[in-house]
Amino acid sequence: SDLRVVSLNGRVGDGKVLASDPARQLARNLLAAQLNLGAGACSTPAVLSAVVAAETLLDKYDVDGKSTTAYPIGKKGSDAALARTLSGYLDGYNNGLVCVGSE
């Protein structure tokens, strides 16, 4: 997925690409983690903590997936860094790198 903004005409795929947006990266990886957990994938306290932290951070900036605004968390600063860290961890979880050997 290239993380495009849905433009005002409502057509998917014709908006600006915002693949470097920490909020969009985090939202994508959080949704995948939530779906994996719901499907019965492994779970650890660290995974659940990362999910809650991601939800809290996205809630702080009212990220709901509908905004056409770029970089609601910003590109730099502690919250953008936190979003990238959580996103990377959840991406690893989604790709089976967190629970290796625990099943």
Side-chain angles (χ1 to χ4, degrees):
S1 79
D2 58 10
L3 300 175
R4 288 184 186 268
V5 172
V6 176
S7 65
L8 295 178
N9 67 14
R11 292 185 57 210
V12 175
D14 68 344
K16 181 177 181 178
V17 175
L18 292 172
S20 64
D21 184 346
R24 284 177 170 78
Q25 292 172 353
L26 181 57
R28 174 190 59 202
N29 290 325
L30 171 61
L31 177 59
Q34 291 168 327
L35 291 170
N36 283 325
L37 288 167
C42 80
S43 176
T44 69
V47 168
L48 297 178
S49 178
V51 165
V52 171
E55 290 170 345
T56 301
L57 183 58
L58 293 173
D59 284 348
K60 177 179 177 180
Y61 289 91
D62 223 11
V63 176
D64 62 4
K66 298 177 185 177
S67 175
T68 59
T69 304
Y71 303 98
I73 291 176
K75 294 180 184 181
K76 297 181 180 181
S78 60
D79 283 347
L82 176 59
R84 286 188 181 94
T85 298
L86 290 168
S87 182
Y89 180 79
L90 292 174
D91 183 53
Y93 168 72
N94 293 327
N95 286 291
L97 303 177
V98 171
C99 297
V100 175
S102 67
E103 296 179 42

